Amino acid sequence: MTTSTHRPRILTLGALAALALVLTACGGGQGFSDDGTTSSSSDDSGDGGSGGTEGAELSVLVATGDTESLGAIQDLADTWAEGAGATVDVQPASDMNQQLSQGFAAGNPPDVFWVDASLLPTYAAAGNLWPYGDQMSDVDFYPALVDSFTYDGELYCAPKDFSNLGLVINTDLWDAAGLTDDDIPTTWDELQSVATTLTTDGVTGLVIGDTRDRVGAFMVQAGGWIVNDDQTEMTIDTPEAIAGITEVQELLESGAAAFPKAVDSGWGGEAIGTGKAAMTIEGNWFKSAAGADYPDLNWRVAELPEGPAGKGTLTFTQCWAIADASQNKEAALDFITSLYTPEIQVDLANRFGVMPSIESAREQYVAGVPESEQAWLAGADYAQGPVSAVGMDPVMKELDTLIQQLPGLAPADIASQTQENGQAVLGN
Amino acid sequence: MALTSADDIVVATHGRGADQAPRPGGPRRRSNRLHGREPVLAWVFVAPMVAVALLFLIVPILMALWVSVSDWSGRGSPLASSVQFVGFENYAAFFSPGLAQRDLTTSIRNTFYFVLLVVPLQTLLALGLALVLNSRRLKAKSFFRTAYYFPSVTSSVAIAVVFLFMFSASGPVNSILGLVGIEGPNWFADPRGLIHVVAGAFGVEQQPAWASGSIAGISLWQWLAGPSVAMVSIIALVVWVSAGGYMLIFLSSLQGIDEEVNEAAVVDGASTWQRIRHITVPILRPTTTLVVTLGLIGTWQVFDQVYIMSQGNPGKTTLTPAYLSYTTSFGSAQWGQGTAISFMLFALIVVLTIIQRAATRDRENPSGRRRRARKEVAS
């Protein structure tokens, strides 16, 4: 009986000791690997300038499941690796956020990976990225893209490419409705009228995605946006931004426009591809989707119509980021720099169906793109980037939730609620 | 057991002191030598499992607990010296008015209705299926047993994708509803709460004045929304998937019921329904408690169906605490708040399980007389 009362106490002690051991082992391991990093990187610099790339084993994580795109990147990487005497392993990400999070936490993220503009400040603020932009100052990126990847005054990474929203039109339905090129809408009123003309039994004139990433374009056309230029203040409750939401509400109320789910589609591209919509608002990614899923669809792109404040569209972009924890920073930078020649940029852009991020590639790119798709590029001069301030993700999700309640919810209510939610994050 | 009794025999043949011989049956019959070695051996045998549990359960839970009270940014080890203790700051965000609180409250409301429908439905369905399978007249029992259990062993991703197709606006479910003249909703795009839909049928379209008061961030009217149409399709999926597993639990206890009890009832002239109502169900009470407890714990943690099918949409009506914890951590990199949500969910489940157990115990033993009686016997 005496032993049985002793036993649990000994066991508890043992378990606690084991636990303490495991925990300290974790902490110790971290410490050791930190030491290892410093010593190995000092070894690298000891080897001299070129030693950084020679023999480096670069890991690259890209967010594409498409084998063709993956092959294109691997080819470019192999070409570089041959010249640099290094090896590159390109892997597709199944869940980029989660894989990066694991890598950052464990201290062994991939050396090079893609980061979306909307996530850049989040990763940069946590110190996960190595800001190498100042070493690429001779590359002529579009200024708007540089802004998208600048955090705290530093350009963190090289814009990979970009996509803009455009008005995608099903030309068969367009012609069948008796419309011509002259009828392509350039104002909100014209958009409303062609959408009404195109709406028939089973076809909705215009299908727009039910998120800020589509509806936001109308805010820009009205001269408003969710936040101010440096993302320090909420501006969605300004009359301009509200006017943009109101325009979407009016389109939806007229029955000439609908959200994708209302026509049983996952997104605008599916709606137009399956003939349920005559027009939609989508970006360059629509091209590869149409090629793969709806090869018989005849379509063209027009610039989005002007609002009260002129033209406006939204831009989406990613960059080639280098992990701060990477032990191959020099090699990674060398690899990324090797991608920025006009030829490679145009080639990559054509393969991915996106637009090259450097102005010197513009002419060459335009020459190779059919006229029916050039409207996407036209937006480069006035496109608005995403809201990316740290901590704004839940606010933007809530905004999407509110937008989904259009046309039933008053635009002013959407704006005032989002204004309040955002102010709590931005702190003013 | 075999080892112990074999050793006991050795002890018995060798014989020990005279004082031990006249006391067979008790633990003291064993030799001191064995007494000393046995616990060590036992721990050697369970050591691998303890190590696994420690490494993959206890340590991660403790680390998550630490993250929930720290300012860890997701970079490097949470145990690094640069990570600061911030007390309950991460929890505080959910206790002051704001978006974080509204999201959590909304997710708890959604899951509350989810649990409220799933747990009784899956328990009843499981019991029903088990009763059918246990009847002696049924042929091809093993076929049905496999068929009903099949959803539980099928990948939840595959099932979710099939349900997405079935519940699409022009999918099979709506086609079947169309045959009987009902125009089905656009299931996964419909954020309307069921109770709101019913209220709408009685002319209550807008939030009435009495329901405008706000509780923990959302109005009483929103609390009373009921599960959204989208949530109902997820409920249908979960009930269908999990009923098979619980059916097996019911079935195994049903097979343990002595046939004589039922025969006695038949002799007394009890109908089938009376036998189920007064014999089977009372005997199955411990099993039912188990099924309900497991169901409660499982449903409050619903995640994968939401992750695959709706991501919290439409209108955040399928947002659940587990999914919110995931998006807060991996999406917004608010690791502290994300883990804080999971610990609040943990606390909620513990409290609800305690309440549920207390409730079932009281029904078994209304006045506590039996417990007192037992105590008297014991003393």
Side-chain angles (χ1 to χ4, degrees):
Chain A
M1 271 336 231
T2 42
T3 35
S4 67
T5 48
H6 267 258
R7 224 177 296 158
R9 205 182 302 155
I10 291 166
L11 289 179
T12 322
L13 279 175
L16 279 176
L19 192 62
L21 266 176
V22 172
L23 290 179
T24 44
C26 288
Q30 186 60 32
F32 287 134
S33 75
D34 275 348
D35 293 349
T37 315
T38 23
S39 63
S40 74
S41 59
S42 60
D43 285 351
D44 281 353
S45 50
D47 284 346
S50 64
T53 56
E54 190 70 39
E57 290 174 17
L58 217 54
S59 58
V60 178
L61 189 69
V62 296
T64 175
D66 170 23
T67 45
E68 205 178 314
S69 320
L70 200 63
I73 297 168
Q74 183 71 63
D75 286 348
L76 285 168
D78 288 344
T79 314
W80 169 81
E82 220 168 284
T87 53
V88 186
D89 178 31
V90 181
Q91 289 294 332
S94 52
D95 187 334
M96 195 74 165
N97 267 350
Q98 194 190 323
Q99 280 169 280
L100 286 180
S101 299
Q102 279 173 3
F104 292 146
N108 62 349
D111 298 306
V112 177
F113 46 87
W114 294 356
V115 167
D116 194 83
S118 63
L119 281 168
L120 183 99
T122 305
Y123 287 158
N128 286 320
L129 304 182
W130 180 51
Y132 66 86
D134 54 334
Q135 303 191 43
M136 294 191 81
S137 50
D138 53 334
V139 183
D140 58 335
F141 300 116
Y142 286 98
L145 297 180
V146 170
D147 287 348
S148 291
F149 295 107
T150 300
Y151 175 75
D152 225 2
E154 272 186 295
L155 174 61
Y156 265 73
C157 49
K160 182 169 74 73
D161 47 38
F162 69 107
S163 305
N164 292 331
L165 293 180
L167 185 68
V168 181
I169 298 169
N170 177 333
T171 48
D172 289 340
L173 291 173
W174 184 269
D175 294 343
L179 297 167
T180 65
D181 279 0
D182 295 338
D183 297 310
I184 285 177
T186 56
T187 65
W188 282 359
D189 287 343
E190 288 174 24
L191 179 67
Q192 173 71 63
S193 92
V194 293
T196 311
T197 312
L198 287 164
T199 302
T200 57
D201 192 27
V203 179
T204 306
L206 176 67
V207 169
I208 341 168
D210 54 359
T211 67
R212 63 186 185 280
D213 292 335
R214 303 290 179 278
V215 174
F218 289 88
M219 294 186 210
V220 180
Q221 290 153 16
W225 182 237
I226 302 167
V227 290
N228 65 354
D229 280 347
D230 50 4
Q231 305 205 31
T232 52
E233 268 175 59
M234 292 299 292
T235 56
I236 195 173
D237 70 346
T238 55
E240 291 84 7
I242 293 174
I245 309 175
T246 309
E247 171 63 15
V248 176
Q249 183 192 34
E250 284 169 4
L251 279 166
L252 292 169
E253 267 177 347
S254 75
F259 286 146
K261 277 185 177 160
V263 296
D264 202 13
S265 300
W267 62 297
E270 186 186 339
I272 197 169
T274 52
K276 288 169 183 156
M279 299 187 291
T280 187
I281 294 176
E282 288 295 338
N284 302 57
W285 51 84
F286 174 77
K287 185 184 177 181
S288 48
D293 298 338
Y294 316 108
D296 298 333
L297 180 73
N298 294 314
W299 57 278
R300 61 158 297 168
V301 184
E303 279 185 72
L304 292 181
E306 287 180 35
K311 290 181 176 179
T313 187
L314 302 182
T315 191
F316 303 91
T317 176
Q318 294 186 321
C319 76
W320 289 100
I322 299 178
D324 191 54
S326 166
Q327 297 181 28
N328 300 307
K329 286 183 188 139
E330 221 172 304
L333 178 61
D334 196 54
F335 165 58
I336 293 170
T337 313
S338 79
L339 300 174
Y340 285 93
T341 69
E343 291 71 31
I344 292 180
Q345 283 299 303
V346 170
D347 180 50
L348 271 181
N350 285 331
R351 284 172 193 252
F352 283 96
V354 289
M355 297 177 292
S357 58
I358 51 178
E359 288 188 272
S360 51
R362 183 169 186 159
E363 229 168 274
Q364 204 182 334
Y365 173 76
V366 170
V369 171
E371 202 186 331
S372 62
E373 296 167 25
Q374 287 184 3
W376 275 322
L377 187 63
D381 304 323
Y382 52 81
Q384 167 72 52
V387 174
S388 60
V390 178
M392 285 294 277
D393 188 52
V395 179
M396 292 299 103
K397 283 212 180 82
E398 176 72 8
L399 173 58
D400 285 350
T401 303
L402 294 168
I403 286 174
Q404 283 164 19
Q405 295 171 40
L406 281 172
L409 193 61
D413 290 346
I414 296 179
S416 66
Q417 278 198 39
T418 309
Q419 180 84 13
E420 193 186 313
N421 293 338
Q423 274 171 346
V425 174
L426 297 177
N428 50 41
Chain B
M1 280 318 271
L3 180 77
T4 319
S5 43
D7 281 0
D8 283 349
I9 293 166
V10 175
V11 174
T13 44
H14 280 253
R16 298 288 291 182
D19 58 330
Q20 282 181 349
R23 278 190 228 144
R28 292 207 191 162
R29 191 172 54 118
R30 296 177 197 153
S31 73
N32 285 334
R33 180 170 53 92
L34 276 169
H35 214 139
R37 199 190 288 163
E38 218 173 51
V40 177
L41 271 179
W43 278 101
V44 168
F45 286 132
V46 297
M49 198 54 225
V50 169
V52 166
L54 211 66
L55 197 60
F56 292 103
L57 277 171
I58 311 293
V59 172
I61 289 172
L62 290 176
M63 278 177 88
L65 189 62
W66 162 245
V67 168
S68 78
V69 291
S70 78
D71 65 351
W72 187 56
S73 66
R75 182 165 189 253
S77 165
L79 301 172
S81 55
S82 59
V83 179
Q84 300 295 315
F85 175 74
V86 295
F88 286 97
E89 199 179 284
N90 291 318
Y91 291 84
F94 301 101
F95 292 96
S96 58
L99 188 58
Q101 187 198 36
R102 269 210 307 284
D103 279 351
L104 182 67
T105 311
T106 308
S107 74
I108 288 175
R109 176 205 62 184
N110 296 339
T111 317
F112 170 75
Y113 285 113
F114 177 82
V115 173
L116 198 68
L117 284 175
V118 168
V119 173
L121 284 177
Q122 77 186 10
T123 309
L124 284 176
L125 186 61
L127 178 61
L129 289 175
L131 286 172
V132 171
L133 279 185
N134 197 44
S135 88
R136 267 180 295 172
R137 261 170 283 170
L138 187 76
K139 298 252 163 57
K141 262 185 206 170
S142 57
F143 167 76
F144 285 110
R145 208 160 44 208
T146 316
Y148 292 141
Y149 191 59
F150 206 70
S152 301
V153 291
T154 310
S155 143
S156 62
V157 177
I159 292 176
V161 171
V162 170
F163 266 69
L164 270 182
F165 162 73
M166 285 188 6
F167 281 94
S168 65
S170 52
V173 172
N174 277 357
S175 304
I176 292 169
L177 286 177
L179 288 181
V180 290
I182 301 170
E183 197 187 327
N186 190 349
W187 296 89
F188 282 106
D190 202 331
R192 288 175 304 159
L194 275 196
I195 298 176
H196 278 184
V197 171
V198 173
F202 287 99
V204 188
E205 298 274 353
Q206 292 299 315
Q207 173 170 307
W210 57 265
S212 62
S214 154
I215 303 169
I218 64 175
S219 71
L220 183 60
W221 178 243
Q222 283 305 314
W223 272 105
L224 293 174
S228 71
V229 177
M231 188 58 113
V232 169
S233 20
I234 297 184
I235 288 171
L237 179 150
V238 172
V239 168
W240 180 74
V241 167
S242 50
Y246 295 124
M247 173 202 74
L248 278 196
I249 300 180
F250 274 125
L251 196 58
S252 65
S253 350
L254 275 177
Q255 287 170 346
I257 296 179
D258 203 333
E259 199 47 43
E260 281 172 21
V261 185
N262 265 317
E263 278 164 10
V266 172
V267 171
D268 286 346
S271 69
T272 313
W273 174 244
Q274 281 174 320
R275 269 180 283 144
I276 291 174
R277 172 74 186 78
H278 297 289
I279 295 176
T280 315
V281 171
I283 291 180
L284 285 181
R285 182 161 280 158
T287 315
T288 314
T289 310
L290 172 75
V291 167
V292 170
T293 310
L294 289 178
L296 263 182
I297 295 171
T299 47
W300 271 103
Q301 297 184 38
V302 58
F303 174 81
D304 35 0
Q305 287 84 6
V306 174
Y307 176 72
I308 299 160
M309 300 169 84
S310 62
Q311 293 86 44
N313 290 326
K316 289 188 178 170
T317 57
T318 60
L319 194 68
T320 67
Y323 186 74
L324 184 65
S325 164
Y326 168 79
T327 53
T328 309
S329 304
F330 286 91
S332 323
Q334 303 275 353
W335 299 93
Q337 287 193 13
T339 42
I341 293 173
S342 55
F343 279 100
M344 287 189 281
L345 177 62
F346 170 71
L348 187 73
I349 292 176
V350 169
V351 169
L352 288 173
T353 310
I354 290 172
I355 292 173
Q356 181 247 334
R357 287 192 67 88
T360 20
R361 198 185 298 141
D362 279 351
R363 221 183 303 146
E364 270 173 17
N365 191 5
S367 59
R369 209 177 294 147
R370 211 184 302 164
R371 210 181 309 157
R372 228 174 296 138
R374 227 180 278 145
K375 226 180 256 171
E376 275 160 25
V377 171
S379 62

